[in-house]
Amino acid sequence: MAFLAIFVYLPVFFKLQITNIYEYLERRFDRRTRILAFVLYVLSDILMFPILAYPPALTFATASGINSTLCAFILCSICLFYTSIGGLKTVVWTDFVQFGVIMVTLVTIFAIGVNGSDGFVSVWNTASAGGRLEVFNFNLDFTARDGFWGYFIACGTTSTAVIIVHPTGIQKFLSLSKYKDCVWSVIHTTISMCVFHTFCILIGLVVYYKYKDCDPLTSHIVSKHDQVFPYFVTEIGSSVPGVSGLFIAAVCSAALSTMSSNLNALSGVIYKDVVCPFLKNTPSEKTGSDILKLTVLIVGFLCTCLVFLVERMGQIFSISLTVWGITQGPIFGAFTLGVLFPKANRKGALYGMIGGFISIACLSIPAKYFQMQGLLTYATKPLSTSGCIFYNQTLLSNNTTSQISFQPPTIFKISFFNYTFLGAAMTVIYGVIISFFTKSDTRVDKKLLSPVTYFCLCKKTQDGDGAGYFNVDEALERLN
């Protein structure tokens, strides 16, 4: 992830010093490509906002008994308030503090969990015996939800897209004055994300160890998969005062950090791409600030109204990766097409994005429908209730065979982990093919290409000759 960011994407964007990441697509291709990316981005953030608000609301509801929808509305209101008042500087500092709270909480929960077991070695051996260490499974199976390649592809592609081509990430990096600072910021971000994911995995193993003989979901102690971890924290927190409160603070911090960053970036993009073109004169700094704050409030209110839909859509993790794959996968593919393929043209980028979006939508939406109808199920690991005092049924395996004769095609069994990668890959493939059959004589400015592609450029382009325009639209404007 860090390698791709530092050597492939970041040099291009930092050299251009653009304030809006989607401005690159207009310079490299045309305005239609930029507008399509903008629409997909807005759709992504509007759909992701209620998904991000739901986990802390569910956690607080589990601990307090308050309605989860009401908790979500309160949380969203807090996020809207400080994001609209403070702007980017507030978002950056709150992100820093909130990340510290998250890491302290994860380390504390992991330490208490291991201390309440027979030691980490016992936790590891139990997880291995129960088949929970699929991260070391190197089989290249796109239908498997677990395994090394599924995790590597999901985390690698998604993380790179978040850091480099999503306004939330690139906005912070480009605010730095030196490229060296950007590089170190990416490295620090990568290390932080690796540490975070590692602790999440280790805590998952501790949770399995604790409930290996009495699964809370199977024994109906909780009603959803998403409630297992909060239930685990409330149990271990009963013996250590303050742990449950610290956990709720961490979950709220994680949600607020991401939500505020997304709102701040989204309002900036809407202001630049939607509001500014309709303004006759350049607004003053105060007017621009007021418009941005109003945009945050309007978009945030709209997103908050969608929270009640999340409860009916299944597991939060799968929903978030599905939404991200449908929307951000094609955008990531368009940026990849632009920086790595000098021969790619505006038709290839535009229709490649459309093709990638349609392909992933046609793959993921029917798959989600089949899951909701019980026609498509993923194999789960064996669970047991033999240790439950009030529940005497032992479940050797949780795999069930549907009695319905209809079985969805195998293609719909592709794991949601792979949606972002497939969306990006399809966009690039479609874009390259379409660009090949719709060749353009337009030269591409060297600054719009990644340094790793310079070796394959013609000598005129390498020397900067003929790089006076970036795309057909801008060339026509200059001729006029």
Side-chain angles (χ1 to χ4, degrees):
M1 178 184 69
F3 177 83
L4 291 176
I6 294 171
F7 294 101
V8 178
Y9 299 94
L10 197 57
V12 179
F13 303 143
F14 187 83
K15 188 182 299 183
L16 295 174
Q17 282 297 302
I18 49 181
T19 57
N20 182 344
I21 186 63
Y22 298 119
E23 184 181 339
Y24 169 82
L25 294 178
E26 183 174 3
R27 292 192 185 186
R28 177 64 176 85
F29 300 115
D30 61 7
R31 184 161 182 79
R32 293 185 303 167
T33 306
R34 174 178 177 172
I35 292 174
L36 178 58
F38 164 76
V39 171
L40 290 179
Y41 164 64
V42 172
L43 177 64
S44 171
D45 269 22
I46 289 178
L47 293 176
M48 286 296 294
F49 191 88
I51 296 174
L52 294 169
Y54 186 68
L58 182 64
T59 302
F60 195 83
T62 303
S64 64
I66 301 176
N67 182 270
S68 59
T69 304
L70 177 60
C71 294
F73 274 96
I74 295 173
L75 188 74
C76 291
S77 300
I78 295 173
C79 179
L80 289 176
F81 173 75
Y82 81 77
T83 303
S84 61
I85 295 298
L88 179 60
K89 187 174 181 179
T90 300
V91 169
V92 171
W93 275 107
T94 51
D95 282 355
F96 176 76
V97 175
Q98 288 163 349
F99 180 76
V101 174
I102 293 168
M103 290 309 303
V104 169
T105 304
L106 289 178
V107 173
T108 302
I109 292 175
F110 175 70
I112 295 174
V114 172
N115 185 61
S117 64
D118 296 327
F120 181 72
V121 174
S122 179
V123 171
W124 185 270
N125 292 335
T126 301
S128 179
R132 262 60 184 183
L133 298 181
E134 289 293 327
V135 70
F136 299 110
N137 180 6
F138 293 94
N139 293 331
L140 189 60
D141 183 3
F142 279 91
T143 63
R145 296 182 61 181
D146 303 310
F148 174 82
W149 291 114
Y151 187 79
F152 179 81
I153 290 174
C155 289
T157 307
T158 304
S159 299
T160 304
V162 169
I163 289 177
I164 295 303
V165 302
H166 194 276
T168 303
I170 198 66
Q171 182 186 54
K172 298 181 178 68
F173 294 123
L174 295 184
S175 66
L176 299 173
S177 58
K178 298 180 180 179
Y179 181 71
K180 181 180 179 181
D181 295 334
C182 286
V183 171
W184 279 110
S185 183
V186 170
I187 293 174
H188 292 155
T189 300
T190 304
I191 294 174
S192 300
M193 294 180 71
C194 290
V195 172
F196 171 78
H197 285 291
T198 300
F199 270 101
C200 288
I201 293 172
L202 294 176
I203 291 174
L205 300 183
V206 175
V207 173
Y208 172 70
Y209 178 86
K210 183 172 179 61
Y211 299 124
K212 63 181 183 299
D213 296 323
C214 184
D215 177 60
L217 184 64
T218 307
S219 57
H220 306 296
I221 298 175
V222 297
S223 58
K224 297 180 179 180
H225 287 92
D226 301 319
Q227 295 176 323
V228 173
F229 185 48
Y231 176 74
F232 166 77
V233 174
T234 55
E235 274 210 323
I236 66 171
S238 60
S239 58
V240 182
V243 172
S244 297
L246 183 63
F247 171 68
I248 294 175
V251 175
C252 290
S253 295
L256 287 171
S257 174
T258 308
M259 289 161 58
S260 62
S261 297
N262 286 356
L263 271 178
N264 189 75
L266 181 59
S267 63
V269 173
I270 291 177
Y271 173 74
K272 185 74 174 179
D273 287 2
V274 178
V275 178
C276 285
F278 291 96
L279 298 177
K280 294 181 179 180
N281 300 319
T282 304
S284 64
E285 185 175 342
K286 183 180 184 304
T287 303
S289 176
D290 292 338
I291 294 175
L292 284 172
K293 292 177 181 179
L294 181 62
T295 305
V296 168
L297 292 175
I298 294 174
V299 174
F301 177 77
L302 174 63
C303 296
T304 303
C305 293
L306 300 176
V307 170
F308 71 94
L309 294 176
V310 180
E311 289 185 286
R312 298 164 177 80
M313 295 178 64
Q315 293 186 44
I316 299 171
F317 187 56
S318 64
I319 299 172
S320 60
L321 285 184
T322 299
V323 171
W324 189 269
I326 294 174
T327 55
Q328 293 297 323
I331 295 176
F332 185 39
F335 278 99
T336 303
L337 190 69
V339 300
L340 290 180
F341 295 87
K343 297 295 184 181
N345 58 32
R346 56 177 182 163
K347 290 184 178 179
L350 179 64
Y351 296 117
M353 286 181 66
I354 295 175
F357 173 77
I358 294 175
S359 298
I360 294 300
C362 291
L363 174 65
S364 58
I365 295 177
K368 195 64 184 176
Y369 171 78
F370 290 140
Q371 290 178 43
M372 295 174 66
Q373 297 298 315
L375 301 175
L376 180 62
T377 57
Y378 291 99
T380 58
K381 301 297 181 182
L383 302 171
S384 174
T385 56
S386 60
C388 299
I389 299 175
F390 53 88
Y391 194 88
N392 56 14
Q393 179 182 357
T394 301
L395 194 62
L396 296 179
S397 176
N398 207 37
N399 300 336
T400 57
T401 304
S402 174
Q403 300 299 321
I404 302 176
S405 58
F406 173 76
Q407 291 294 323
T410 305
I411 191 172
F412 294 116
K413 297 181 180 180
I414 293 177
S415 172
F416 55 82
F417 276 91
N418 303 304
Y419 287 163
T420 303
F421 170 76
L422 292 176
M426 289 179 180
T427 299
V428 171
I429 292 172
Y430 294 150
V432 169
I433 294 175
I434 294 173
S435 297
F436 177 79
F437 288 104
T438 58
K439 295 180 179 179
S440 173
D441 294 330
T442 304
R443 294 193 188 97
V444 180
D445 193 307
K446 183 179 177 181
K447 292 186 295 185
L448 298 172
L449 299 173
S450 174
V452 300
T453 66
Y454 289 173
F455 73 94
C456 62
L457 300 179
C458 64
K459 188 176 186 303
K460 288 185 177 181
T461 304
Q462 288 180 346
D463 295 339
D465 185 22
Y469 57 88
F470 302 127
N471 53 51
V472 173
D473 292 341
E474 188 166 344
L476 292 175
E477 289 180 6
R478 296 197 175 199
L479 287 175
N480 293 331

